[in-house]
Amino acid sequence: RRPPRSTLLDIRRQRQMCIRDRTVVEGDLGYKAGRFELIDSTTGTSVDEGKYIQIWKRSAQGYWELHRDMWNSSVAQETGGS
């Protein structure tokens, strides 16, 4: 899956930084939620920022597996209007 506002070529130049996050584990479920900022590593400029949540489930073998991964951008999307 591609980060918001990115092309395949851009992904090689970007890195994601977690600004704040929180991790909670209860039994066989866990979640990590927080805010992120996507940085262009060649220029150091911010490309995108937003919120995310990951939900993890413990498998029958005891391994943690990613169950759901959701994010949304807090940056207004550009429109192609004239």
Side-chain angles (χ1 to χ4, degrees):
R1 181 167 31 163
R2 216 180 287 167
R5 285 177 237 329
S6 297
T7 66
L8 289 175
L9 294 175
D10 289 337
I11 291 173
R12 294 186 190 110
R13 295 185 332 205
Q14 295 173 354
R15 60 189 163 100
Q16 183 171 322
M17 298 178 59
C18 292
I19 299 171
R20 289 180 297 241
D21 64 356
R22 175 183 168 155
T23 303
V24 175
V25 176
E26 291 186 19
D28 290 337
L29 286 176
Y31 76 86
K32 182 175 180 179
R35 301 185 62 76
F36 71 88
E37 183 175 13
L38 197 60
I39 305 292
D40 183 325
S41 61
T42 58
T43 64
T45 59
S46 179
V47 176
D48 195 10
E49 61 183 66
K51 297 169 283 299
Y52 72 93
I53 185 168
Q54 295 175 332
I55 301 173
W56 296 79
K57 285 177 74 173
R58 193 183 324 255
S59 70
Q61 295 79 23
Y63 300 107
W64 286 101
E65 298 175 342
L66 186 60
H67 182 63
R68 295 284 189 271
D69 184 18
M70 299 170 276
W71 51 261
N72 67 305
S73 176
S74 296
V75 177
Q77 190 170 15
E78 294 178 18
T79 60
S82 45

PDB file of all heavy atoms in Angstrom, residues 3-6 14-21 33-39 46-53 70-75:
ATOM      1  N   PRO A   3       1.755   5.247   0.642  1.00  0.00           N
ATOM      2  CA  PRO A   3       1.376   6.375   1.510  1.00  0.00           C
ATOM      3  C   PRO A   3       0.585   7.416   0.720  1.00  0.00           C
ATOM      4  O   PRO A   3       0.688   7.476  -0.503  1.00  0.00           O
ATOM      5  CB  PRO A   3       2.726   6.959   1.943  1.00  0.00           C
ATOM      6  CG  PRO A   3       3.708   5.872   1.721  1.00  0.00           C
ATOM      7  CD  PRO A   3       3.174   5.070   0.566  1.00  0.00           C
ATOM      8  N   PRO A   4      -0.212   8.232   1.382  1.00  0.00           N
ATOM      9  CA  PRO A   4      -0.994   9.250   0.681  1.00  0.00           C
ATOM     10  C   PRO A   4      -0.100  10.208  -0.101  1.00  0.00           C
ATOM     11  O   PRO A   4       1.020  10.485   0.272  1.00  0.00           O
ATOM     12  CB  PRO A   4      -1.730   9.977   1.806  1.00  0.00           C
ATOM     13  CG  PRO A   4      -1.048   9.596   3.052  1.00  0.00           C
ATOM     14  CD  PRO A   4      -0.353   8.298   2.808  1.00  0.00           C
ATOM     15  N   ARG A   5      -0.619  10.711  -1.226  1.00  0.00           N
ATOM     16  CA  ARG A   5       0.070  11.689  -2.074  1.00  0.00           C
ATOM     17  C   ARG A   5       1.464  11.235  -2.502  1.00  0.00           C
ATOM     18  O   ARG A   5       2.400  11.995  -2.510  1.00  0.00           O
ATOM     19  CB  ARG A   5       0.160  13.031  -1.376  1.00  0.00           C
ATOM     20  CG  ARG A   5      -1.170  13.756  -1.384  1.00  0.00           C
ATOM     21  CD  ARG A   5      -1.057  15.027  -0.633  1.00  0.00           C
ATOM     22  NE  ARG A   5      -1.945  15.207   0.459  1.00  0.00           N
ATOM     23  CZ  ARG A   5      -3.177  14.740   0.597  1.00  0.00           C
ATOM     24  NH1 ARG A   5      -3.700  13.971  -0.266  1.00  0.00           N
ATOM     25  NH2 ARG A   5      -3.898  15.020   1.647  1.00  0.00           N
ATOM     26  N   SER A   6       1.599   9.960  -2.861  1.00  0.00           N
ATOM     27  CA  SER A   6       2.902   9.441  -3.252  1.00  0.00           C
ATOM     28  C   SER A   6       2.809   8.688  -4.565  1.00  0.00           C
ATOM     29  O   SER A   6       1.797   8.091  -4.873  1.00  0.00           O
ATOM     30  CB  SER A   6       3.438   8.478  -2.201  1.00  0.00           C
ATOM     31  OG  SER A   6       3.639   9.133  -0.989  1.00  0.00           O
ATOM     32  N   GLN A  14      11.108   8.869   0.687  1.00  0.00           N
ATOM     33  CA  GLN A  14      10.340   9.306   1.840  1.00  0.00           C
ATOM     34  C   GLN A  14      10.576   8.401   3.038  1.00  0.00           C
ATOM     35  O   GLN A  14      10.879   7.231   2.897  1.00  0.00           O
ATOM     36  CB  GLN A  14       8.850   9.313   1.507  1.00  0.00           C
ATOM     37  CG  GLN A  14       8.524  10.336   0.451  1.00  0.00           C
ATOM     38  CD  GLN A  14       7.096  10.228  -0.011  1.00  0.00           C
ATOM     39  OE1 GLN A  14       6.381   9.322   0.367  1.00  0.00           O
ATOM     40  NE2 GLN A  14       6.670  11.153  -0.839  1.00  0.00           N
ATOM     41  N   ARG A  15      10.426   8.965   4.196  1.00  0.00           N
ATOM     42  CA  ARG A  15      10.461   8.171   5.422  1.00  0.00           C
ATOM     43  C   ARG A  15       9.346   8.673   6.323  1.00  0.00           C
ATOM     44  O   ARG A  15       9.008   9.850   6.314  1.00  0.00           O
ATOM     45  CB  ARG A  15      11.814   8.279   6.114  1.00  0.00           C
ATOM     46  CG  ARG A  15      12.203   9.667   6.515  1.00  0.00           C
ATOM     47  CD  ARG A  15      13.657   9.704   6.982  1.00  0.00           C
ATOM     48  NE  ARG A  15      14.115  11.072   6.977  1.00  0.00           N
ATOM     49  CZ  ARG A  15      14.192  11.825   8.062  1.00  0.00           C
ATOM     50  NH1 ARG A  15      13.867  11.355   9.225  1.00  0.00           N
ATOM     51  NH2 ARG A  15      14.618  13.064   7.972  1.00  0.00           N
ATOM     52  N   GLN A  16       8.776   7.757   7.058  1.00  0.00           N
ATOM     53  CA  GLN A  16       7.671   8.118   7.935  1.00  0.00           C
ATOM     54  C   GLN A  16       8.191   8.289   9.349  1.00  0.00           C
ATOM     55  O   GLN A  16       8.984   7.493   9.826  1.00  0.00           O
ATOM     56  CB  GLN A  16       6.599   7.035   7.904  1.00  0.00           C
ATOM     57  CG  GLN A  16       5.399   7.379   8.742  1.00  0.00           C
ATOM     58  CD  GLN A  16       4.283   6.406   8.527  1.00  0.00           C
ATOM     59  OE1 GLN A  16       4.056   5.946   7.437  1.00  0.00           O
ATOM     60  NE2 GLN A  16       3.573   6.103   9.585  1.00  0.00           N
ATOM     61  N   MET A  17       7.760   9.335   9.989  1.00  0.00           N
ATOM     62  CA  MET A  17       8.151   9.593  11.366  1.00  0.00           C
ATOM     63  C   MET A  17       6.895   9.603  12.229  1.00  0.00           C
ATOM     64  O   MET A  17       5.938  10.285  11.905  1.00  0.00           O
ATOM     65  CB  MET A  17       8.844  10.951  11.474  1.00  0.00           C
ATOM     66  CG  MET A  17      10.104  11.068  10.680  1.00  0.00           C
ATOM     67  SD  MET A  17      10.809  12.725  10.821  1.00  0.00           S
ATOM     68  CE  MET A  17      11.048  12.850  12.579  1.00  0.00           C
ATOM     69  N   CYS A  18       6.895   8.812  13.277  1.00  0.00           N
ATOM     70  CA  CYS A  18       5.784   8.849  14.229  1.00  0.00           C
ATOM     71  C   CYS A  18       5.994  10.039  15.151  1.00  0.00           C
ATOM     72  O   CYS A  18       7.045  10.184  15.759  1.00  0.00           O
ATOM     73  CB  CYS A  18       5.717   7.569  15.037  1.00  0.00           C
ATOM     74  SG  CYS A  18       5.247   6.156  14.047  1.00  0.00           S
ATOM     75  N   ILE A  19       5.018  10.894  15.198  1.00  0.00           N
ATOM     76  CA  ILE A  19       5.103  12.077  16.052  1.00  0.00           C
ATOM     77  C   ILE A  19       4.705  11.707  17.477  1.00  0.00           C
ATOM     78  O   ILE A  19       5.397  12.016  18.431  1.00  0.00           O
ATOM     79  CB  ILE A  19       4.212  13.192  15.492  1.00  0.00           C
ATOM     80  CG1 ILE A  19       4.697  13.574  14.096  1.00  0.00           C
ATOM     81  CG2 ILE A  19       4.211  14.394  16.419  1.00  0.00           C
ATOM     82  CD1 ILE A  19       3.764  14.498  13.364  1.00  0.00           C
ATOM     83  N   ARG A  20       3.590  11.062  17.610  1.00  0.00           N
ATOM     84  CA  ARG A  20       3.100  10.584  18.900  1.00  0.00           C
ATOM     85  C   ARG A  20       2.411   9.257  18.639  1.00  0.00           C
ATOM     86  O   ARG A  20       1.726   9.098  17.631  1.00  0.00           O
ATOM     87  CB  ARG A  20       2.060  11.537  19.483  1.00  0.00           C
ATOM     88  CG  ARG A  20       2.608  12.830  19.968  1.00  0.00           C
ATOM     89  CD  ARG A  20       1.467  13.663  20.512  1.00  0.00           C
ATOM     90  NE  ARG A  20       0.537  13.968  19.430  1.00  0.00           N
ATOM     91  CZ  ARG A  20       0.250  15.186  19.027  1.00  0.00           C
ATOM     92  NH1 ARG A  20       0.787  16.207  19.606  1.00  0.00           N
ATOM     93  NH2 ARG A  20      -0.587  15.385  18.046  1.00  0.00           N
ATOM     94  N   ASP A  21       2.576   8.320  19.540  1.00  0.00           N
ATOM     95  CA  ASP A  21       1.803   7.105  19.392  1.00  0.00           C
ATOM     96  C   ASP A  21       1.521   6.484  20.750  1.00  0.00           C
ATOM     97  O   ASP A  21       2.129   6.850  21.742  1.00  0.00           O
ATOM     98  CB  ASP A  21       2.462   6.109  18.443  1.00  0.00           C
ATOM     99  CG  ASP A  21       3.796   5.599  18.946  1.00  0.00           C
ATOM    100  OD1 ASP A  21       4.283   6.044  19.996  1.00  0.00           O
ATOM    101  OD2 ASP A  21       4.353   4.754  18.273  1.00  0.00           O
ATOM    102  N   ALA A  33      -1.822   3.437  17.903  1.00  0.00           N
ATOM    103  CA  ALA A  33      -2.489   4.557  17.252  1.00  0.00           C
ATOM    104  C   ALA A  33      -1.675   5.816  17.498  1.00  0.00           C
ATOM    105  O   ALA A  33      -0.988   5.934  18.506  1.00  0.00           O
ATOM    106  CB  ALA A  33      -3.904   4.738  17.801  1.00  0.00           C
ATOM    107  N   GLY A  34      -1.746   6.731  16.554  1.00  0.00           N
ATOM    108  CA  GLY A  34      -1.024   7.977  16.743  1.00  0.00           C
ATOM    109  C   GLY A  34      -1.061   8.867  15.524  1.00  0.00           C
ATOM    110  O   GLY A  34      -1.909   8.730  14.651  1.00  0.00           O
ATOM    111  N   ARG A  35      -0.101   9.767  15.474  1.00  0.00           N
ATOM    112  CA  ARG A  35       0.025  10.722  14.376  1.00  0.00           C
ATOM    113  C   ARG A  35       1.340  10.452  13.664  1.00  0.00           C
ATOM    114  O   ARG A  35       2.285   9.971  14.269  1.00  0.00           O
ATOM    115  CB  ARG A  35      -0.010  12.142  14.909  1.00  0.00           C
ATOM    116  CG  ARG A  35      -1.303  12.458  15.660  1.00  0.00           C
ATOM    117  CD  ARG A  35      -1.389  13.907  16.080  1.00  0.00           C
ATOM    118  NE  ARG A  35      -1.388  14.817  14.962  1.00  0.00           N
ATOM    119  CZ  ARG A  35      -2.429  15.053  14.165  1.00  0.00           C
ATOM    120  NH1 ARG A  35      -3.557  14.416  14.354  1.00  0.00           N
ATOM    121  NH2 ARG A  35      -2.341  15.919  13.178  1.00  0.00           N
ATOM    122  N   PHE A  36       1.381  10.752  12.364  1.00  0.00           N
ATOM    123  CA  PHE A  36       2.598  10.546  11.590  1.00  0.00           C
ATOM    124  C   PHE A  36       2.898  11.772  10.747  1.00  0.00           C
ATOM    125  O   PHE A  36       2.028  12.601  10.496  1.00  0.00           O
ATOM    126  CB  PHE A  36       2.474   9.312  10.682  1.00  0.00           C
ATOM    127  CG  PHE A  36       1.531   9.518   9.529  1.00  0.00           C
ATOM    128  CD1 PHE A  36       1.973  10.056   8.324  1.00  0.00           C
ATOM    129  CD2 PHE A  36       0.200   9.188   9.639  1.00  0.00           C
ATOM    130  CE1 PHE A  36       1.101  10.257   7.267  1.00  0.00           C
ATOM    131  CE2 PHE A  36      -0.685   9.377   8.586  1.00  0.00           C
ATOM    132  CZ  PHE A  36      -0.228   9.910   7.395  1.00  0.00           C
ATOM    133  N   GLU A  37       4.138  11.866  10.321  1.00  0.00           N
ATOM    134  CA  GLU A  37       4.555  12.865   9.343  1.00  0.00           C
ATOM    135  C   GLU A  37       5.435  12.158   8.329  1.00  0.00           C
ATOM    136  O   GLU A  37       6.325  11.401   8.695  1.00  0.00           O
ATOM    137  CB  GLU A  37       5.322  14.006  10.003  1.00  0.00           C
ATOM    138  CG  GLU A  37       5.709  15.088   9.012  1.00  0.00           C
ATOM    139  CD  GLU A  37       6.367  16.285   9.668  1.00  0.00           C
ATOM    140  OE1 GLU A  37       6.759  16.189  10.855  1.00  0.00           O
ATOM    141  OE2 GLU A  37       6.504  17.307   8.992  1.00  0.00           O
ATOM    142  N   LEU A  38       5.152  12.365   7.062  1.00  0.00           N
ATOM    143  CA  LEU A  38       5.918  11.769   5.973  1.00  0.00           C
ATOM    144  C   LEU A  38       6.895  12.822   5.460  1.00  0.00           C
ATOM    145  O   LEU A  38       6.478  13.917   5.078  1.00  0.00           O
ATOM    146  CB  LEU A  38       4.962  11.326   4.869  1.00  0.00           C
ATOM    147  CG  LEU A  38       5.481  10.351   3.841  1.00  0.00           C
ATOM    148  CD1 LEU A  38       5.913   9.048   4.504  1.00  0.00           C
ATOM    149  CD2 LEU A  38       4.402  10.063   2.819  1.00  0.00           C
ATOM    150  N   ILE A  39       8.196  12.515   5.490  1.00  0.00           N
ATOM    151  CA  ILE A  39       9.252  13.468   5.158  1.00  0.00           C
ATOM    152  C   ILE A  39       9.959  13.035   3.882  1.00  0.00           C
ATOM    153  O   ILE A  39      10.292  11.860   3.725  1.00  0.00           O
ATOM    154  CB  ILE A  39      10.302  13.523   6.299  1.00  0.00           C
ATOM    155  CG1 ILE A  39       9.657  13.831   7.640  1.00  0.00           C
ATOM    156  CG2 ILE A  39      11.419  14.500   5.974  1.00  0.00           C
ATOM    157  CD1 ILE A  39       9.097  15.214   7.770  1.00  0.00           C
ATOM    158  N   SER A  46       8.218  18.284   4.636  1.00  0.00           N
ATOM    159  CA  SER A  46       7.063  17.459   4.969  1.00  0.00           C
ATOM    160  C   SER A  46       6.220  17.237   3.721  1.00  0.00           C
ATOM    161  O   SER A  46       5.879  18.187   3.017  1.00  0.00           O
ATOM    162  CB  SER A  46       6.231  18.155   6.046  1.00  0.00           C
ATOM    163  OG  SER A  46       5.105  17.384   6.358  1.00  0.00           O
ATOM    164  N   VAL A  47       5.884  15.982   3.451  1.00  0.00           N
ATOM    165  CA  VAL A  47       5.071  15.626   2.294  1.00  0.00           C
ATOM    166  C   VAL A  47       3.616  15.422   2.701  1.00  0.00           C
ATOM    167  O   VAL A  47       2.698  15.768   1.982  1.00  0.00           O
ATOM    168  CB  VAL A  47       5.621  14.342   1.629  1.00  0.00           C
ATOM    169  CG1 VAL A  47       4.745  13.898   0.477  1.00  0.00           C
ATOM    170  CG2 VAL A  47       7.055  14.558   1.163  1.00  0.00           C
ATOM    171  N   ASP A  48       3.415  14.854   3.878  1.00  0.00           N
ATOM    172  CA  ASP A  48       2.064  14.579   4.353  1.00  0.00           C
ATOM    173  C   ASP A  48       2.108  14.392   5.866  1.00  0.00           C
ATOM    174  O   ASP A  48       3.171  14.139   6.441  1.00  0.00           O
ATOM    175  CB  ASP A  48       1.511  13.311   3.694  1.00  0.00           C
ATOM    176  CG  ASP A  48       0.006  13.155   3.851  1.00  0.00           C
ATOM    177  OD1 ASP A  48      -0.651  14.112   4.304  1.00  0.00           O
ATOM    178  OD2 ASP A  48      -0.513  12.083   3.507  1.00  0.00           O
ATOM    179  N   GLU A  49       0.956  14.510   6.508  1.00  0.00           N
ATOM    180  CA  GLU A  49       0.817  14.212   7.929  1.00  0.00           C
ATOM    181  C   GLU A  49      -0.602  13.762   8.177  1.00  0.00           C
ATOM    182  O   GLU A  49      -1.503  14.053   7.398  1.00  0.00           O
ATOM    183  CB  GLU A  49       1.162  15.420   8.791  1.00  0.00           C
ATOM    184  CG  GLU A  49       0.278  16.618   8.555  1.00  0.00           C
ATOM    185  CD  GLU A  49       0.713  17.809   9.380  1.00  0.00           C
ATOM    186  OE1 GLU A  49       1.805  18.331   9.126  1.00  0.00           O
ATOM    187  OE2 GLU A  49      -0.069  18.201  10.270  1.00  0.00           O
ATOM    188  N   GLY A  50      -0.783  12.998   9.250  1.00  0.00           N
ATOM    189  CA  GLY A  50      -2.123  12.501   9.540  1.00  0.00           C
ATOM    190  C   GLY A  50      -2.143  11.595  10.751  1.00  0.00           C
ATOM    191  O   GLY A  50      -1.254  11.649  11.598  1.00  0.00           O
ATOM    192  N   LYS A  51      -3.163  10.734  10.796  1.00  0.00           N
ATOM    193  CA  LYS A  51      -3.378   9.834  11.920  1.00  0.00           C
ATOM    194  C   LYS A  51      -3.392   8.392  11.417  1.00  0.00           C
ATOM    195  O   LYS A  51      -3.686   8.140  10.260  1.00  0.00           O
ATOM    196  CB  LYS A  51      -4.708  10.166  12.586  1.00  0.00           C
ATOM    197  CG  LYS A  51      -4.737  11.566  13.166  1.00  0.00           C
ATOM    198  CD  LYS A  51      -6.128  11.986  13.579  1.00  0.00           C
ATOM    199  CE  LYS A  51      -7.026  12.379  12.462  1.00  0.00           C
ATOM    200  NZ  LYS A  51      -6.664  13.494  11.635  1.00  0.00           N
ATOM    201  N   TYR A  52      -3.083   7.448  12.313  1.00  0.00           N
ATOM    202  CA  TYR A  52      -3.107   6.040  11.936  1.00  0.00           C
ATOM    203  C   TYR A  52      -3.527   5.180  13.117  1.00  0.00           C
ATOM    204  O   TYR A  52      -3.468   5.599  14.276  1.00  0.00           O
ATOM    205  CB  TYR A  52      -1.736   5.578  11.443  1.00  0.00           C
ATOM    206  CG  TYR A  52      -0.723   5.468  12.554  1.00  0.00           C
ATOM    207  CD1 TYR A  52      -0.531   4.264  13.215  1.00  0.00           C
ATOM    208  CD2 TYR A  52       0.011   6.565  12.963  1.00  0.00           C
ATOM    209  CE1 TYR A  52       0.379   4.164  14.256  1.00  0.00           C
ATOM    210  CE2 TYR A  52       0.918   6.470  14.000  1.00  0.00           C
ATOM    211  CZ  TYR A  52       1.095   5.266  14.640  1.00  0.00           C
ATOM    212  OH  TYR A  52       1.984   5.169  15.672  1.00  0.00           O
ATOM    213  N   ILE A  53      -3.973   3.967  12.807  1.00  0.00           N
ATOM    214  CA  ILE A  53      -4.232   2.947  13.821  1.00  0.00           C
ATOM    215  C   ILE A  53      -3.906   1.590  13.217  1.00  0.00           C
ATOM    216  O   ILE A  53      -4.205   1.331  12.049  1.00  0.00           O
ATOM    217  CB  ILE A  53      -5.674   2.983  14.355  1.00  0.00           C
ATOM    218  CG1 ILE A  53      -5.848   1.976  15.494  1.00  0.00           C
ATOM    219  CG2 ILE A  53      -6.686   2.755  13.255  1.00  0.00           C
ATOM    220  CD1 ILE A  53      -7.138   2.115  16.277  1.00  0.00           C
ATOM    221  N   MET A  70      -5.011   1.197   9.305  1.00  0.00           N
ATOM    222  CA  MET A  70      -5.773   2.300   8.712  1.00  0.00           C
ATOM    223  C   MET A  70      -5.068   3.619   8.979  1.00  0.00           C
ATOM    224  O   MET A  70      -4.443   3.785  10.024  1.00  0.00           O
ATOM    225  CB  MET A  70      -7.182   2.351   9.317  1.00  0.00           C
ATOM    226  CG  MET A  70      -7.978   1.104   9.060  1.00  0.00           C
ATOM    227  SD  MET A  70      -9.515   1.066  10.005  1.00  0.00           S
ATOM    228  CE  MET A  70      -8.923   0.422  11.563  1.00  0.00           C
ATOM    229  N   TRP A  71      -5.150   4.543   8.023  1.00  0.00           N
ATOM    230  CA  TRP A  71      -4.580   5.877   8.201  1.00  0.00           C
ATOM    231  C   TRP A  71      -5.399   6.878   7.408  1.00  0.00           C
ATOM    232  O   TRP A  71      -6.154   6.504   6.512  1.00  0.00           O
ATOM    233  CB  TRP A  71      -3.120   5.931   7.766  1.00  0.00           C
ATOM    234  CG  TRP A  71      -2.875   5.386   6.394  1.00  0.00           C
ATOM    235  CD1 TRP A  71      -2.417   4.141   6.091  1.00  0.00           C
ATOM    236  CD2 TRP A  71      -3.089   6.038   5.143  1.00  0.00           C
ATOM    237  NE1 TRP A  71      -2.322   3.976   4.745  1.00  0.00           N
ATOM    238  CE2 TRP A  71      -2.735   5.132   4.127  1.00  0.00           C
ATOM    239  CE3 TRP A  71      -3.553   7.294   4.773  1.00  0.00           C
ATOM    240  CZ2 TRP A  71      -2.826   5.444   2.781  1.00  0.00           C
ATOM    241  CZ3 TRP A  71      -3.637   7.601   3.422  1.00  0.00           C
ATOM    242  CH2 TRP A  71      -3.264   6.679   2.454  1.00  0.00           C
ATOM    243  N   ASN A  72      -5.268   8.122   7.768  1.00  0.00           N
ATOM    244  CA  ASN A  72      -5.877   9.182   6.964  1.00  0.00           C
ATOM    245  C   ASN A  72      -5.001  10.424   7.050  1.00  0.00           C
ATOM    246  O   ASN A  72      -4.309  10.653   8.034  1.00  0.00           O
ATOM    247  CB  ASN A  72      -7.311   9.482   7.401  1.00  0.00           C
ATOM    248  CG  ASN A  72      -7.376  10.085   8.769  1.00  0.00           C
ATOM    249  OD1 ASN A  72      -6.871   9.525   9.721  1.00  0.00           O
ATOM    250  ND2 ASN A  72      -8.008  11.235   8.867  1.00  0.00           N
ATOM    251  N   SER A  73      -5.037  11.184   5.989  1.00  0.00           N
ATOM    252  CA  SER A  73      -4.240  12.396   5.883  1.00  0.00           C
ATOM    253  C   SER A  73      -4.973  13.564   6.525  1.00  0.00           C
ATOM    254  O   SER A  73      -6.197  13.657   6.461  1.00  0.00           O
ATOM    255  CB  SER A  73      -3.979  12.712   4.407  1.00  0.00           C
ATOM    256  OG  SER A  73      -3.285  13.934   4.295  1.00  0.00           O
ATOM    257  N   SER A  74      -4.213  14.458   7.142  1.00  0.00           N
ATOM    258  CA  SER A  74      -4.786  15.677   7.688  1.00  0.00           C
ATOM    259  C   SER A  74      -4.551  16.867   6.767  1.00  0.00           C
ATOM    260  O   SER A  74      -4.957  17.987   7.065  1.00  0.00           O
ATOM    261  CB  SER A  74      -4.148  15.984   9.057  1.00  0.00           C
ATOM    262  OG  SER A  74      -4.466  14.965   9.962  1.00  0.00           O
ATOM    263  N   VAL A  75      -3.898  16.612   5.637  1.00  0.00           N
ATOM    264  CA  VAL A  75      -3.591  17.663   4.674  1.00  0.00           C
ATOM    265  C   VAL A  75      -4.700  17.697   3.629  1.00  0.00           C
ATOM    266  O   VAL A  75      -5.100  16.648   3.103  1.00  0.00           O
ATOM    267  CB  VAL A  75      -2.219  17.413   4.001  1.00  0.00           C
ATOM    268  CG1 VAL A  75      -1.930  18.455   2.948  1.00  0.00           C
ATOM    269  CG2 VAL A  75      -1.127  17.356   5.043  1.00  0.00           C
TER     270      VAL A  75
END
